[in-house]
Amino acid sequence: MLRSLFSTRHYSMDTVEGMNEIYISGPSRKDEAVNSDHVFYSRHVDGTFALVPFVSVYRCIVGMDKNLQTTTHFPLANINVNACEGDVTAFDFSREVHYVSRDESKKEASDKFRVVLKLHYCIYPRVLAPIGWLMSFLNVRYNMSFRALFLKTINPASLYEHFLAWNVNFQTNLFDRIETLLGQRNVLYLLFTLALWRATGVYEVFFALTSFVHYFRNISTFYIRRGIDFGSFKRDVLLFKSLALLQMFYHYLFPSVLPFSLDFISIAMILTGYVVSVMTTNALGIDRTYFAAELGMVEPKWITQFPYGYIPHPMIVSQIFALLGLYKASHFRNEWPYVVPIHITMYLIHMMQEQFDIYKRYPDDVTNK
């Protein structure tokens, strides 16, 4: 399963034996006073080493009995799993947001307990073997330490134990929010670009490395279409597009070379472009805006609400029109002469991709047709 994503030639896959276990779920205690059991029913990530690049520890859940009561939800991937006998589910131990729910209506159809086998694999590029070995060791130590903390706070008695239980749940919620809203890989990337800016003293390095990421995510996702973590994809695009727009509008409003020049045509173009863009998103809905139909997550639908039927490719055309509004202002154009042309070029590349339906064809696509 994992080898379909990570080739034997380029990646090592080591068993992390110190984390493997047979796990038996107890009854739900989420309605009781604060205890560490709450973390399983809250959105959370299991590990803590998501900021270490290139290496992942995967937790594989192997169902050992029939338990339909307990469902593991992966909200960013929009996947829900009952780990019944023979089922196997794998996820990134430090990066995948998930939580557990119980459906008491399925109690009679389920075995008494939920029994699963938890297997763990550390996957890393062969050229980075020392980092992979280190991450295997650190994840084992972390898992043992967290398990000891969990057992100490599962039935807190003292004030100190109640504080520890509260801290477990607080840290759980914090890491969930970071991963859900920002993504720890994105945080690492942004820290790297900030470090480059700091080391070189050249802001343009940061500006260039954070202004166009969303185009590459859009173009590559539209092309690949399979195995897409839809929630993470939307998060990444929104994050980097917002960062790109914030920087452009900052330089538009607060130029450092020429004084700000009030250009009413420029402002009108910007407002018109983004108003039409918002109307386009409203007509499509957020998920369809981010290729939910192309990714097979929703049924295709013919959209007739304005601006569809009046403006070709209204999402891209409206964005380009707004960008040209920025470029119309002489103070912005003189200070950043290449930024808008690059943005427009990336939009046009993606427009051609949509117009000519350029995406990867898979063998079963041909079979189904």
Side-chain angles (χ1 to χ4, degrees):
M1 179 170 62
L2 293 172
R3 276 302 182 195
S4 66
L5 300 174
F6 302 98
S7 69
T8 304
R9 178 180 179 184
H10 297 110
Y11 289 91
S12 290
M13 185 168 68
D14 299 341
T15 302
V16 188
E17 294 183 356
M19 296 174 67
N20 294 343
E21 62 182 350
I22 294 177
Y23 186 85
I24 302 175
S25 298
S28 172
R29 302 172 65 234
K30 64 179 180 178
D31 295 326
E32 297 181 15
V34 173
N35 60 74
S36 55
D37 249 4
H38 287 187
V39 299
F40 299 115
Y41 297 94
S42 305
R43 292 167 56 117
H44 65 281
V45 293
D46 287 327
T48 192
F49 297 107
L51 292 181
V52 178
F54 311 118
V55 179
S56 289
V57 169
Y58 282 87
R59 169 168 281 178
C60 296
I61 304 295
V62 183
M64 303 291 287
D65 67 350
K66 181 183 178 182
N67 191 298
L68 302 175
Q69 280 183 279
T70 305
T71 302
T72 303
H73 306 269
F74 300 91
L76 293 182
N78 196 31
I79 293 174
N80 306 308
V81 177
N82 291 109
C84 293
E85 185 175 4
D87 294 337
V88 181
T89 301
F91 59 93
D92 193 313
F93 183 70
S94 292
R95 299 184 178 95
E96 188 68 57
V97 174
H98 61 287
Y99 66 95
V100 170
S101 68
R102 290 173 66 91
D103 184 352
E104 296 299 329
S105 68
K106 297 180 180 178
K107 182 176 181 179
E108 295 301 323
S110 304
D111 291 339
K112 185 174 182 181
F113 298 105
R114 175 180 180 255
V115 183
V116 298
L117 177 63
K118 293 184 178 181
L119 303 175
H120 300 81
Y121 302 93
C122 184
I123 300 178
Y124 54 88
R126 292 187 180 277
V127 296
L128 298 177
I131 299 179
W133 302 333
L134 177 63
M135 283 300 99
S136 292
F137 172 78
L138 291 178
N139 274 278
V140 170
R141 301 309 301 176
Y142 166 79
N143 196 55
M144 293 172 63
S145 299
F146 184 82
R147 181 55 53 84
L149 176 62
F150 171 76
L151 293 175
K152 188 175 181 64
T153 56
I154 195 168
N155 284 303
S158 68
L159 183 62
Y160 177 63
E161 289 176 350
H162 275 285
F163 169 74
L164 290 178
W166 173 85
N167 189 58
V168 167
N169 288 291
F170 173 78
Q171 296 288 343
T172 296
N173 292 329
L174 177 63
F175 274 90
D176 165 60
R177 292 297 86 195
I178 292 173
E179 184 61 31
T180 299
L181 301 177
L182 297 175
Q184 294 183 76
R185 283 192 176 101
N186 295 333
V187 171
L188 179 64
Y189 178 77
L190 291 173
L191 290 173
F192 171 72
T193 57
L194 285 169
L196 284 179
W197 177 11
R198 173 77 175 179
T200 62
V202 180
Y203 162 71
E204 286 78 4
V205 172
F206 176 83
F207 186 64
L209 291 176
T210 56
S211 290
F212 310 106
V213 174
H214 56 290
Y215 296 114
F216 294 102
R217 283 290 269 144
N218 277 329
I219 291 169
S220 61
T221 299
F222 186 91
Y223 180 77
I224 296 297
R225 300 198 175 191
R226 292 195 177 182
I228 303 299
D229 186 337
F230 189 57
S232 298
F233 163 64
K234 289 194 295 182
R235 176 201 65 202
D236 294 350
V237 172
L238 284 169
L239 172 66
F240 283 103
K241 184 172 183 177
S242 298
L243 187 55
L245 289 176
L246 283 172
Q247 291 182 93
M248 280 198 294
F249 277 108
Y250 175 83
H251 295 302
Y252 179 87
L253 295 172
F254 306 103
S256 58
V257 177
L258 296 176
F260 176 79
S261 174
L262 187 60
D263 187 327
F264 290 104
I265 296 178
S266 168
I267 294 171
M269 291 176 67
I270 293 169
L271 290 175
T272 301
Y274 286 120
V275 166
V276 173
S277 178
V278 169
M279 295 175 71
T280 304
T281 301
N282 181 61
L284 281 175
I286 289 292
D287 287 349
R288 291 181 189 277
T289 298
Y290 291 99
F291 315 138
E294 289 83 353
L295 298 177
M297 304 194 67
V298 298
E299 290 295 323
K301 179 182 178 182
W302 190 261
I303 307 296
T304 58
Q305 182 179 335
F306 182 86
Y308 285 92
Y310 298 87
I311 303 173
H313 294 280
M315 181 64 73
I316 293 177
V317 170
S318 62
Q319 298 275 341
I320 289 176
F321 191 75
L323 287 168
L324 289 173
L326 288 168
Y327 205 57
K328 169 69 172 57
S330 58
H331 61 274
F332 182 84
R333 184 174 64 252
N334 288 330
E335 187 173 346
W336 301 96
Y338 302 111
V339 171
V340 169
I342 293 174
H343 277 283
I344 291 176
T345 299
M346 298 302 293
Y347 268 126
L348 291 175
I349 291 172
H350 182 49
M351 181 189 286
M352 292 300 101
Q353 186 184 30
E354 288 188 345
Q355 179 65 34
F356 296 104
D357 218 17
I358 300 172
Y359 65 92
K360 184 175 182 179
R361 264 66 176 183
Y362 296 90
D364 54 337
D365 291 337
V366 176
T367 303
N368 291 336
K369 291 178 181 179

